[in-house]
Amino acid sequence: MGRSHSQRMDVSAIVACFLLGAVLVLAEDLSIETEVMQLGDFHGKIKTPNYPSNYHNDYEGIWELNIPPTGDIYTLVLVIDEMDIEGTTGHCSDYIKIDHKEYCGQSPLTIRVPDIEYGILIGFHTDHSVTGKGFKADYEFVPQY
C-alpha cells in the first residue's frame, strides 16, 4: 500500500510541475512584443524594427503582403540586401520565416516563392537572448507565365 501511495504522490508531483510549467510558459509568452504590418503593393521594402540598430528580444513581427486579385499567379522575389540575424543555416535562434522555411545568418540572400495568387505572410521571430541588426529587403511579385 505504501508503494501505491508513493506512485500517486509522484503522479501528483508530475501534474503540479506540468501545471506550473504551463503557467510559466503562458506568462513568458505574454511578454512577447507582436506587430503586424499590412502592405498591398506589387513591390516595396521591408525591414526589421530599429534597423540598422539592433532589433529587440522576444519579438514576433508579421508582414502581410497582399496583392490585388487579378486572377494571375505570381512569384514573390525577396532580395535581402543586408542581414544580421542570430543563428546559422539549420540552427536559427532568431529568423525570418517564409513559406514554412526559416532564414538567419549574416549573408545577403534572394528568396523566391512561386505560385502566389493573393499574397503571403513573412514572419520575423526573436528569442530572449542575442540580437543583431536584422535585415532590410526589397520585395516584388513577378507574374508567372
Side-chain angles (χ1 to χ4, degrees):
M1 187 151 181
R3 186 175 196 173
S4 174
H5 178 69
S6 172
Q7 287 175 343
R8 272 188 249 150
M9 297 252 320
D10 290 343
V11 170
S12 297
I14 291 169
V15 169
C17 288
F18 173 75
L19 291 176
L20 180 59
V23 170
L24 289 175
V25 168
L26 179 60
E28 190 173 270
D29 287 345
L30 292 177
S31 67
I32 293 175
E33 179 184 352
T34 304
E35 185 175 16
V36 177
M37 290 133 302
Q38 296 180 335
L39 302 168
D41 294 322
F42 285 98
H43 57 86
K45 296 179 180 296
I46 61 174
K47 63 181 180 175
T48 50
N50 300 329
Y51 187 87
S53 296
N54 284 12
Y55 52 80
H56 296 218
N57 285 323
D58 297 318
Y59 177 81
E60 294 289 338
I62 298 171
W63 289 270
E64 186 178 310
L65 305 182
N66 298 305
I67 50 179
T70 62
D72 293 331
I73 304 296
Y74 296 88
T75 294
L76 169 69
V77 179
L78 182 71
V79 179
I80 301 172
D81 298 320
E82 297 180 26
M83 183 165 74
D84 177 20
I85 300 174
E86 178 191 13
T88 58
T89 303
H91 302 285
C92 296
S93 298
D94 300 342
Y95 52 83
I96 301 167
K97 188 168 188 173
I98 305 172
D99 199 32
H100 308 290
K101 295 181 184 125
E102 297 174 359
Y103 302 91
C104 62
Q106 283 73 39
S107 300
L109 183 64
T110 298
I111 301 168
R112 288 179 174 76
V113 182
D115 304 325
I116 297 172
E117 189 172 355
Y118 301 107
I120 191 167
L121 298 177
I122 298 175
F124 180 63
H125 164 84
T126 70
D127 64 9
H128 62 280
S129 62
V130 178
T131 64
K133 289 184 178 182
F135 72 93
K136 70 174 188 166
D138 293 305
Y139 73 87
E140 182 175 9
F141 289 96
V142 179
Q144 288 180 207
Y145 297 103

